Amino acid sequence: MEKSEADGPAIRVASPGGRWIVLTTVLGSGMAMLDSTVINVALPRIGDDLGTDLAALQWTVNAYMLTLAGLILLGGALGDRYGRRRVFVVGVIWFAAASLVCGLAPNAPVLIAARALQGVGGALLTPGSLALIQASFHPDDRARAVGLWSGFGGVGAAVGPFLGGWLVDGPGWRWVFLLNLPLAAVCVPVALRHVPESRDPHAQGRFDVAGAALGALALALVTYALIDAPGQGASPAVIGSAAGGVLLGAAFVQLERRRAHPMLPPSVFASRQFTAVNVVTLCVYAALGGYFFLSAIQLQVVAGYSALGAGTALLPTTLLMLLFSAASGELGQRIGPRVPLTVGPLIAAAGMLLMLRVGTGSNSVTGYLTDVLPAVAVLGVGLVTVVAPLTATVLASVETGRAGLASGINNAAARAAGLIAVAALPLLAGMGPEAYRDAGEFAATFRRAMPMCAGLLVLGALIAWATVRTPAPVDDTARPECAVHCGVTSPPLEPAPETEPPHTTG
């Protein structure tokens, strides 16, 4: 069962086939989403069980984000060329196999390597889940299908921290990864039986494997330098890695300028609005990456919460986003993106500063209500205000034929920003390798780190106010083929960008 864009998608959401497609894509993307939301809660227990230092915990998070950020555009292009269902299924199987290795990992190096393999699987299945929807459904039903996909995915994101905490406190942290196996066991046969294959008949040219490799290596070397600097200081390995990362980053930019079909075409940044919004994305998601990494440890190591308690304590942020992001997207469409992209980061920054109240007396009911809840609620309001308009503005900043490429670039930027933040914040805040084992030391460095995260959000707000304007209509017919060669999927989604799930959970 195979179709191409030329055949014209005709499946309706209300049909049995439509429901099977939604179920398949939710299960696939839900695997990646659950892992990204539960891992932070499990970090202290992983560190104790495997006897690791803070650097190993940083790599446990960053190894996944590194391969995902570096390969997600290439994963979308593979689906366009070789079949979106096929690449999606390969990604699900790959992700499940890597999850099994994570769950059985005897030590930190094996866990980190398996997490990097998970990121490869995520890069194959993440763009594929949305691509299957847009390639399979009738145009009139695409917005509704994306809304269902996003809504069910949001429920998964909301349940993630709670479920992760329960697993860590109950069966153990290894089940955070092993949970993916039954999900994959349902997802793969359903996809093979009920989801039609699709590919882009116009996809051609060589894949930009060299560009993907250079980008991933540049990120890896910079990340290594930032993570190892607290323990090694200005050693030759640290300095060499940092310099090598910068040089490879420059080589990546030059390569993308010369290639006929680059993974990251420089021409897309000719849109001043697109460039500005991606800079705002870097600021916002760097702050969020650092916040979610450190706050889950702060709640457990300093405030004395259990893993389940910490996951539950952070739940209001996700619930607010789940309930109100769609309304925020509609508001952004009415008033334009400049105000939401300015006000939202400022509110979120206030929420992060309120986290400075969280300490040793915050694990009682009164402590939660006075210290934790105000912070996570204010942060949630800020994210509700900014996330949906940010996504909508990215898509509106380019012609419709490049919407898939624009979304992929923005997603990769968000992942890379979180990656660098998790690597850099402990260094900038002065966290030692064993800081997460000492409540007093971690609390002191946490108090230095949160204002840095808030400062990134304020910087993002200032950039948004200075540069973002309501996008003018763009030429829908201009170069639609570029999205095929360069990254995610083609044809583009019908607009309803406010329903796209936030990056913060991924």
Side-chain angles (χ1 to χ4, degrees), residues 169 189 289:
D169 286 341

Side-chain angles (χ1 to χ4, degrees), residues 48 297-298 301-302 432-445:
D48 289 339
I297 301 177
Q298 172 79 358
V301 172
V302 178
E434 302 297 324
Y436 81 97
R437 300 182 188 275
D438 186 303
E441 181 182 352
F442 192 87
T445 52

Side-chain angles (χ1 to χ4, degrees), residues 34-197:
L34 276 173
D35 255 38
S36 60
T37 56
V38 304
I39 186 65
N40 289 330
V41 175
L43 288 175
R45 199 68 56 87
I46 292 173
D48 289 339
D49 191 24
L50 299 182
T52 64
D53 58 12
L54 182 65
L57 298 185
Q58 290 171 273
W59 275 115
T60 300
V61 175
N62 278 351
Y64 175 79
M65 290 196 290
L66 176 64
T67 50
L68 179 59
L71 300 175
I72 192 169
L73 291 175
L74 185 61
L78 288 170
D80 284 344
R81 179 78 62 85
Y82 295 116
R84 291 158 184 150
R85 184 187 66 181
R86 176 182 298 171
V87 172
F88 173 81
V89 168
V90 169
V92 171
I93 295 172
W94 187 307
F95 194 92
S99 298
L100 176 61
V101 179
C102 288
L104 300 177
N107 51 50
V110 173
L111 176 60
I112 291 167
R115 285 284 287 166
L117 290 175
Q118 267 193 320
V120 177
L124 296 175
L125 73 88
T126 300
S129 62
L130 200 55
L132 288 173
I133 288 178
Q134 70 179 52
S136 302
F137 284 107
H138 190 282
D140 292 343
D141 278 12
R142 283 180 190 161
R144 183 184 174 195
V146 173
L148 289 171
W149 175 79
S150 177
F152 284 118
V155 172
V159 171
F162 178 85
L163 178 61
W166 179 81
L167 289 172
V168 171
D169 286 341
W173 63 265
R174 296 179 185 276
W175 283 94
V176 168
F177 302 107
L178 297 177
L179 180 66
N180 292 321
L181 287 129
L183 293 177
V186 175
C187 182
V188 170
V190 171
L192 293 175
R193 180 175 178 82
H194 297 286
V195 177
E197 182 61 283

Side-chain angles (χ1 to χ4, degrees), residues 280 338 341-342 345-346 455-468:
V280 175
R338 188 186 189 196
L341 298 191
T342 302
L346 294 177
L456 283 170
L457 289 168
V458 172
L459 177 61
L462 293 174
I463 293 172
W465 181 257
T467 61
V468 173

Side-chain angles (χ1 to χ4, degrees), residues 350-374:
M352 289 187 183
L353 293 177
L354 286 173
M355 281 295 292
L356 295 173
R357 296 169 53 88
V358 176
T360 54
S362 301
N363 62 342
S364 64
V365 173
T366 302
Y368 178 74
L369 293 177
T370 58
D371 298 342
V372 183
L373 183 59

Side-chain angles (χ1 to χ4, degrees), residues 279-292 352 413-422 425 452-453 456-457:
V279 173
V280 175
T281 296
L282 290 171
C283 294
V284 169
Y285 288 107
L288 293 176
Y291 165 82
F292 283 113
M352 289 187 183
R415 305 283 185 175
L419 167 75
I420 296 299
V422 170
L425 265 180
M452 297 178 191
C453 293
L456 283 170
L457 289 168

